Amino acid sequence: RRVHGAVFITMNPGYAGRSELPDNLKALFRSVAMMIPDYSMITEISLYSFGFVNARNLAIKITTCLRSSSEQLSTQSHYDFGMRAVNSVIQAAGVLKRNYPHQEEFGLVLKAIRDCNVPKFTSKDVPLFESILSDLFPGCLLYTSPSPRDRQKSRMPSSA
């Protein structure tokens, strides 16, 4: 009886914290070329799955924002504008859509993009990022969820 199996090694050369596979081990494996995935299409489908009606336009804005950020902002080791960052924005937007289903979608996505990215930026990069957002979302009002204090006030009976 013959047992068949396969071993796949995924390498991401140049990625922080990763090391190259030694040449003697590389010789044992066949290389396979990979393509960069279509982030916009993945984003669009994911947004549709969360119930966004304008998913195509929003996907283009999300991916354009992250691509522009990677090109225009300073180079920092903790900045990530790849698929991991895209997924974070999608998940945050999905939570906002679920919690506030009747809010304007562009405002929800704008809030998700800001919430996922601004905390990691240096103070010099924040204005540049805000400029990118204002170009992509002209005139869009950012949806701000009520603060805990405002929610508490709305529950209190008025003293009349």
Side-chain angles (χ1 to χ4, degrees), residues 56-129:
R56 175 165 288 147
N57 292 331
L58 293 168
I60 292 168
K61 289 183 181 291
I62 291 169
T63 54
T64 301
C65 175
L66 294 175
R67 187 179 321 106
S68 298
S69 297
S70 72
E71 294 167 355
Q72 296 178 29
L73 302 185
S74 66
T75 304
Q76 302 289 327
S77 62
H78 63 280
Y79 285 4
D80 176 20
F81 300 109
M83 195 63 223
R84 190 175 291 125
V86 171
N87 193 47
S88 295
V89 171
I90 293 168
Q91 295 301 315
V95 168
L96 288 170
K97 180 68 172 172
R98 183 174 57 241
N99 292 339
Y100 308 99
H102 303 295
Q103 291 296 322
E104 202 266 328
E105 291 182 346
F106 286 89
L108 293 176
V109 168
L110 178 58
K111 178 171 175 43
I113 292 171
R114 271 206 182 114
D115 290 353
C116 290
N117 288 287
V118 170
K120 65 185 172 187
F121 292 148
T122 63
S123 59
K124 290 182 181 178
D125 282 335
V126 172
L128 293 170
F129 184 71

Side-chain angles (χ1 to χ4, degrees), residues 7 15 32 34 46 62 64 86 92 106 117 119 143 159:
V7 175
Y15 194 76
V32 176
M34 302 294 286
S46 297
I62 291 169
T64 301
V86 171
F106 286 89
N117 288 287
Y143 173 71
S159 55

